[in-house]
Amino acid sequence: MPSQSLRLRGKKSHRLNDEVRFIRSWLEKPLSMGAVTPSSRILARTMARYVEPSVAGPIIELGPGTGPVTEALVQAGVEPSRLVLVEFNPAFCKILRARYPDATLVQGDAYSLRRLLETLLLQPAAAVVSGLPLVTKPIRMRLRLIRDAFDLMLPGAPFVQFTYSVASPLPRRLGGFSVEASERIWMNIPPARVWVYRKT
Ligand SMILES: C[S@@+](CC[C@H](N)C(=O)[O-])C[C@H]1O[C@@H](n2cnc3c(N)ncnc32)[C@H](O)[C@@H]1O
């Protein structure tokens, strides 16, 4: 059995490799990456805190990247087999497939959520957790995404989104959903906030 220091070293090199892959992808496609580095553990844990593992149903993650939020969800008690990961970067899909073999991985465009998932889900989702860089898309696309997500979820289920921008990526004036926000998370590059939307 590996010693604790070996395991720690393994985790650190894992994280370093992820950061290198992330920066490479950001250099290739800065707008669709929306970040230069994977989310910090504290941001990932804050996202996971809004998901209640005891509520039945799949948990959809949009834009999981190298999987820091996925890991936080699993650590919070979510069975990997309940996860539906939607990621369009093939290199990240390869990593996710190796790390979460029991999760359902969908390689595709999260903005076509309805088409991707409506026949795949056997029951309504308990939550949608998103790392997509929403603010790089026009408002009408963001709105269509959240409406499609609400249609796939249980009533009142959370759509959890992080963003680096100060304002909510889904303006309150659009209506039809409640809005909740976390404190600003300074231990992340750059600092971020988690927003939670529920259909009203
Ligand atoms: C800001 S990164 C977040 C990655 C990870 N969730 C994290 O917190 O470190 C955005 C991720 O969304 C993915 N992505 C961007 N647009 C997408 C789309 N339309 N469909 C699926 N994935 C997308 C990117 O490939 C990247 O993995």
Side-chain angles (χ1 to χ4, degrees), residues 22 32-35 37-39 61 63-65 68-69 86-89 92 108-111 131-133 162 164:
F22 218 91
S32 56
M33 284 301 292
T37 179
S39 291
E61 188 181 349
V69 179
V86 182
E87 173 58 62
F88 73 5
N89 180 316
F92 292 161
D109 180 3
Y111 292 93
L132 297 174
F162 80 78
Y164 309 125

Side-chain angles (χ1 to χ4, degrees), residues 27-198:
L27 287 170
E28 281 165 17
K29 289 187 169 180
L31 272 188
S32 56
M33 284 301 292
V36 266
T37 179
S39 291
S40 68
R41 221 169 289 162
I42 179 153
L43 172 57
R45 281 194 199 135
T46 306
M47 301 275 284
R49 212 171 295 139
Y50 289 99
V51 175
E52 179 46 71
S54 64
V55 176
I59 290 164
I60 302 168
E61 188 181 349
L62 309 178
T66 53
V69 179
T70 324
E71 189 181 325
L73 287 166
V74 172
Q75 278 175 358
V78 172
E79 276 299 318
S81 59
R82 292 177 62 193
L83 292 169
V84 178
L85 310 174
V86 182
E87 173 58 62
F88 73 5
N89 180 316
F92 292 161
C93 286
K94 202 170 158 194
I95 297 173
L96 294 164
R97 212 171 279 124
R99 289 186 191 158
Y100 302 99
D102 293 335
T104 303
L105 178 68
V106 180
Q107 187 173 343
D109 180 3
Y111 292 93
S112 303
L113 200 61
R114 183 186 291 271
R115 186 180 54 74
L116 287 182
L117 298 189
E118 74 186 343
T119 53
L120 188 92
L121 295 189
L122 301 177
Q123 62 183 124
V128 172
V129 179
S130 165
L132 297 174
L134 271 195
V135 293
T136 60
K137 297 291 181 193
I139 293 273
R140 74 182 152 72
M141 272 182 82
R142 304 181 211 170
L143 198 55
R144 196 184 64 202
L145 175 75
I146 198 165
R147 285 189 179 143
D148 286 353
F150 284 149
D151 287 346
L152 296 170
M153 282 195 279
L154 290 166
F159 183 101
V160 185
Q161 172 74 47
F162 80 78
T163 182
Y164 309 125
S165 59
V166 178
S168 164
L170 288 158
R172 290 168 201 265
R173 65 178 156 78
L174 296 175
F177 48 81
S178 67
V179 183
E180 192 184 331
S182 75
E183 294 290 312
R184 196 149 186 82
I185 296 157
W186 296 100
M187 297 284 281
N188 193 71
I189 306 171
R193 196 187 295 279
V194 176
W195 294 85
V196 183
Y197 308 97
R198 295 172 203 269

